[in-house]
Amino acid sequence: QWTADEAAGAKLQFTYASDTIDVSVNGEKITGINQISKEVDLSGHLLEGENTLEIRVKSNLGNILSENAHEFGLGGAVTLQLN
């Protein structure tokens, strides 16, 4: 739990994600995720107090159709950086 001041400028940082990630805060999907920068801006999405953060990683169509699927998911650390 945190205050509104602490939540301003909050970012979710991840080391590696493959293939596509979706992030939701309190049931609201965050758009414009840039997997190259490995950060998700959570500003304006966090409420004061308790929040629910959901991260979903989707495989690509090649994994569904191929017998030689490659690994996908989150790798390394996933951290929440508060202001």
Side-chain angles (χ1 to χ4, degrees):
Q1 293 189 8
W2 46 72
T3 67
D5 287 341
E6 292 171 324
K11 294 180 183 178
L12 180 69
Q13 298 175 318
F14 54 93
T15 303
Y16 172 79
S18 176
D19 286 69
T20 302
I21 62 171
D22 289 331
V23 176
S24 298
V25 176
N26 302 318
E28 178 185 348
K29 184 177 177 181
I30 297 177
T31 60
I33 295 173
N34 183 342
Q35 287 184 234
I36 295 171
S37 70
K38 300 179 179 121
E39 285 187 347
V40 179
D41 185 2
L42 300 178
S43 297
H45 299 281
L46 295 174
L47 304 174
E48 191 163 324
E50 189 171 322
N51 292 266
T52 301
L53 175 65
E54 181 179 10
I55 304 169
R56 290 180 173 244
V57 182
K58 299 177 187 175
S59 180
N60 63 36
L61 186 58
N63 271 354
I64 295 169
L65 300 176
S66 173
E67 293 180 14
N68 299 315
H70 73 278
E71 291 184 17
F72 72 99
L74 292 173
V78 177
T79 57
L80 179 63
Q81 178 185 343
L82 297 176
N83 199 11

